[in-house]
Amino acid sequence: MRVRLVVTFVVVALVSAATATALAYRDARTAVLQRTQNAAVDDFRKQVGAVAVDFDLPPDQQSLSRFAAKVSERVGGKIVVARYQDLSATSDSFADTRSRITVELRAAVMTGDGAGFQRVRWRGEPYLIVGTPVMFADGDRRASGLEVYAITDLRAESEDTAALLDSVRAGIVPVVLLAAVLALLAAGTVLRPVRKLGRATRELAAGDLGSRVAVTGRDELADLARTFNDTADALQTSDAELREQEAKARRFVADVSHELRTPLAAMTMVATVLEEDADQLPPDAARAARTVGAETARLSRLVEDLMEISRFDAGAVRLNAAETDLADTVRASLALRGWTDRVRTDLREGVRAVVDRRRIDVIVANLVGNALRHGAPPVTVTLGTSRAADGEWVVLSVADHGPGLPPDARERVFDRFYKADAARTRGAADDSGQGSGLGTAIALENARLHGGTIEVTDMTDAADVTDVADTADAADAAGTTGVTDTGADGPWRGAVFTLRLPLRRTEEDAE
C-alpha cells in the first residue's frame, strides 16, 4: 500500500506539473507573440503612413525601391516589400521574400482597408509578416493600389518562450520529489495505524485476547480501531465465560467421578460375591446377579474413563517416558488380557522408542479389544517402522476381517460417546462389549500425548497392510475365513486402526 500511495502521489504531481507547464507555456507564448505583433502592426502602420505622405503615385521602379528602403529605415531595419500593380521593390535585394509572403496574406491586404499579419515558419525559423494597404488621404478611404509588407524576425521571442518552458520543466523535478516525500509522510500517517491494527489482529488470531489498539483522533481509522477494541472486548468476555463454564463442567465430571468411586467399589465387591454364588441361585436371580455384575463393571469402567478424560482436558496428564521395546510391550498387553491365542501378530523385533509403556498398553488394549468384540477373525497386530520427510515413525496396525466402518462412522469414530450403527455391534467407539464410548477417544489422546496419531481405514483402502493380507490368506488356507458384510449402504471389509508415533530414541541408542 505504501508503494501504491507514493506512486499515486507522484503520478498526480507529475500530471499536475505537466498540465500547469503546458498551460503556462501556451499563455506565455500567446502573450509574448500578441504583444510583439500588436507593437509591430501599430509601428508599421504609423511609419508607412508617415513615409507615404510624400510619395507620388503612380511610382516607377526606382521611386518604389526608395520608398521601401525609407520605410525599412524607420521600422528598425526590417525587410520591407512594396508592391504597386506589377511593380515590386524590396529593401534587401538579397532577401527571399516570395516564399514568406503568402497568397492568403496578399489577398487579405488587397481586399481590406487595414493592416493584416500572419506568422509563418521559413527554414525552421518563425517570422511575423505584417502587410498594409496605402490609402488616399482625400477623406473617402480609397485604396491607392500600393501595398507594403514588413518581415519581422520572431527568433528572440521564440527563445524567450523556450527559456520559460525550460525553467518550468526544471521545476518539475523538485515538485515530483516533494510529492514523493509528502506521499511517504502521508503513507506513514495512514499506514501506521493500519499496521498496528494488523498486528493486533494477528495477535488476537494467535490467541492473545488481550491485544488492543490505541485509539487516536476521530477519523475513520480511529472508528475502525474502536470497533476492533469493542470486538476484542466482547470476544474476551465470551471466551472467559466459556472457559469458566468449561472449567466448571470438567470439575463437575471429575468430582462426580471421584465421588462415585467409593460406592462403586462397594457395589463391585457385592456384585462379585453375587456372581460367584450365581450358580447356586434360582435362574432368574442368577441372571439378575450376572446382569448387576456386568453393569457394575461397565459403570466402573465409565467412571475410570471419565476421570482419565477429565485429566486430559485439565492438562494434568504427563508422560512417564522411558526407552521401551515395543514388541515386548505389545506381547505383554495381549498376554495380560488373555488375547495371545486370539490375535495373530507380526511384530518387528528390536523396535525401541522412548514412550510411556502404560499408555501404549492402554492404546493396544483399546484397539485390539474393539477388533475382537466388533470385528471378525482373524485379528492381526503388526509392528514396524516407516520413514517420511519429517523423520522416522513407529507404525502399529490392528486389523480385523469384520464388517468394517462406513465412511461417516470413520470420521467420528474418535468422538467421545460416539456410537456407530449396528454394523459394528454396540459401537466402534467402545473399548469393550459394554464400553463407555470413550475408549478410542482416550487412545487418540494418548497417541497425541506422544506426538503421534491414530488413523482408521478399511483393509481395501489401507496402504500398509500387505502383511495383514498375507496373514488373512494363511487363515483362509487353514479354514478360517473372514466375514464380509454387504449392508444396505455398501460393502466394507475389515477395519484397520493404525497408530503412528515418532521414533524417539535415547542418545546412546541413537549413536
Side-chain angles (χ1 to χ4, degrees):
M1 185 177 289
R2 180 189 296 273
V3 174
R4 290 198 296 270
L5 283 175
V6 172
V7 170
T8 301
F9 267 74
V10 170
V11 169
V12 170
L14 189 61
V15 171
S16 301
T19 303
T21 300
L23 294 175
Y25 174 73
R26 186 194 65 181
D27 293 343
R29 181 174 178 273
T30 301
V32 169
L33 294 177
Q34 188 71 34
R35 184 174 63 251
T36 300
Q37 71 187 21
N38 290 341
V41 169
D42 292 342
D43 183 60
F44 181 65
R45 291 180 61 184
K46 185 185 297 183
Q47 300 304 329
V48 168
V51 176
V53 172
D54 299 328
F55 186 67
D56 295 330
L57 294 173
D60 55 17
Q61 183 65 44
Q62 188 175 4
S63 62
L64 190 62
S65 297
R66 286 197 300 270
F67 177 80
K70 188 177 292 186
V71 173
S72 176
E73 291 176 0
R74 296 180 70 94
V75 295
K78 299 175 182 178
I79 300 175
V80 174
V81 178
R83 293 178 179 275
Y84 185 82
Q85 296 180 359
D86 295 334
L87 297 178
S88 176
T90 305
S91 61
D92 185 354
S93 59
F94 298 101
D96 181 8
T97 61
R98 186 180 303 277
S99 58
R100 283 186 271 186
I101 301 175
T102 64
V103 176
E104 294 81 2
L105 179 61
R106 286 202 62 192
V109 172
M110 292 174 63
T111 58
D113 58 355
F117 61 89
Q118 187 177 30
R119 289 193 294 271
V120 298
R121 297 192 70 84
W122 182 68
R123 295 181 180 177
E125 300 294 338
Y127 291 90
L128 175 65
I129 313 300
V130 181
T132 182
V134 175
M135 313 298 291
F136 285 111
D138 55 4
D140 57 359
R141 299 291 296 170
R142 290 181 299 111
S144 64
L146 178 62
E147 307 165 18
V148 187
Y149 300 91
I151 301 175
T152 303
D153 190 353
L154 295 179
R155 282 180 291 182
E157 288 76 10
S158 178
E159 291 174 356
D160 291 341
T161 55
L164 175 63
L165 181 61
D166 291 339
S167 63
V168 175
R169 284 175 179 171
I172 291 179
V173 175
V175 168
V176 171
L177 294 178
L178 179 61
V181 173
L182 293 176
L184 288 173
L185 295 176
T189 303
V190 174
L191 296 181
R192 191 177 299 111
V194 174
R195 285 196 300 270
K196 291 180 180 179
L197 184 61
R199 184 168 54 251
T201 302
R202 289 190 294 271
E203 293 173 353
L204 188 67
D208 182 9
L209 300 182
S211 178
R212 297 293 185 274
V213 180
V215 179
T216 56
R218 293 180 172 273
D219 55 7
E220 289 80 0
L221 291 175
D223 294 339
L224 181 60
R226 276 189 288 270
T227 302
F228 172 82
N229 290 340
D230 294 341
T231 303
D233 289 338
L235 183 60
Q236 189 173 28
T237 301
S238 299
D239 180 74
E241 294 175 353
L242 290 175
R243 288 179 182 274
E244 184 179 359
Q245 293 175 5
E246 185 179 3
K248 288 180 179 179
R250 285 199 301 265
R251 284 195 301 269
F252 175 77
V253 172
D255 292 344
V256 170
S257 301
H258 186 270
E259 292 298 325
L260 286 175
R261 295 184 72 179
T262 301
L264 274 175
M267 292 171 61
T268 301
M269 288 188 295
V270 173
T272 302
V273 172
L274 288 175
E275 281 189 291
E276 290 176 353
D277 296 337
D279 294 338
Q280 302 174 11
L281 297 175
D284 292 341
R287 189 181 305 109
R290 293 188 181 95
T291 301
V292 169
E295 293 302 322
T296 301
R298 181 170 179 270
L299 184 57
S300 298
R301 188 172 295 106
L302 174 61
V303 170
E304 293 297 331
D305 289 347
L306 285 173
M307 293 190 67
E308 183 74 2
I309 284 291
S310 66
R311 283 192 289 268
F312 278 112
D313 291 341
V317 178
R318 296 292 181 269
L319 282 177
N320 184 20
E323 190 176 25
T324 303
D325 188 309
L326 295 178
D328 288 344
T329 301
V330 173
R331 280 191 288 265
S333 179
L334 298 177
L336 179 64
R337 293 163 180 81
W339 293 340
T340 303
D341 297 334
R342 302 175 59 189
V343 176
R344 298 179 182 274
T345 60
D346 182 6
L347 308 178
R348 177 178 170 182
E349 300 296 338
V351 179
R352 301 179 64 86
V354 178
V355 296
D356 189 328
R357 185 184 181 108
R358 184 184 71 83
R359 297 191 181 279
I360 297 299
D361 174 75
V362 171
I363 296 173
V364 173
N366 275 288
L367 298 184
V368 176
N370 273 343
L372 290 173
R373 294 180 178 88
H374 308 306
V379 174
T380 307
V381 179
T382 61
L383 173 67
T385 59
S386 66
R387 289 186 178 275
D390 52 353
E392 194 171 3
W393 293 77
V394 175
V395 180
L396 176 68
S397 296
V398 178
D400 67 75
H401 281 65
L405 289 168
D408 58 340
R410 287 186 230 166
E411 296 177 358
R412 301 184 58 195
V413 69
F414 296 104
D415 292 351
R416 299 175 184 181
F417 298 107
Y418 174 68
K419 301 284 187 177
D421 60 15
R424 292 280 291 183
T425 315
R426 287 181 58 90
D430 293 347
D431 65 333
S432 69
Q434 297 174 336
S436 63
L438 295 172
T440 50
I442 293 174
L444 181 60
E445 293 291 347
N446 280 301
R448 289 173 175 171
L449 198 62
H450 285 83
T453 186
I454 301 177
E455 301 170 354
V456 57
T457 58
D458 282 347
M459 285 188 64
T460 54
D461 298 330
D464 300 319
V465 293
T466 304
D467 295 337
V468 175
D470 293 341
T471 304
D473 292 339
D476 292 339
T480 305
T481 59
V483 177
T484 302
D485 177 65
T486 54
D489 296 331
W492 303 286
R493 181 176 176 81
V496 180
F497 284 80
T498 303
L499 167 67
R500 298 182 186 273
L501 301 177
L503 184 57
R504 299 189 180 96
R505 300 185 179 94
T506 61
E507 295 182 0
E508 294 79 3
D509 185 49
E511 293 175 358

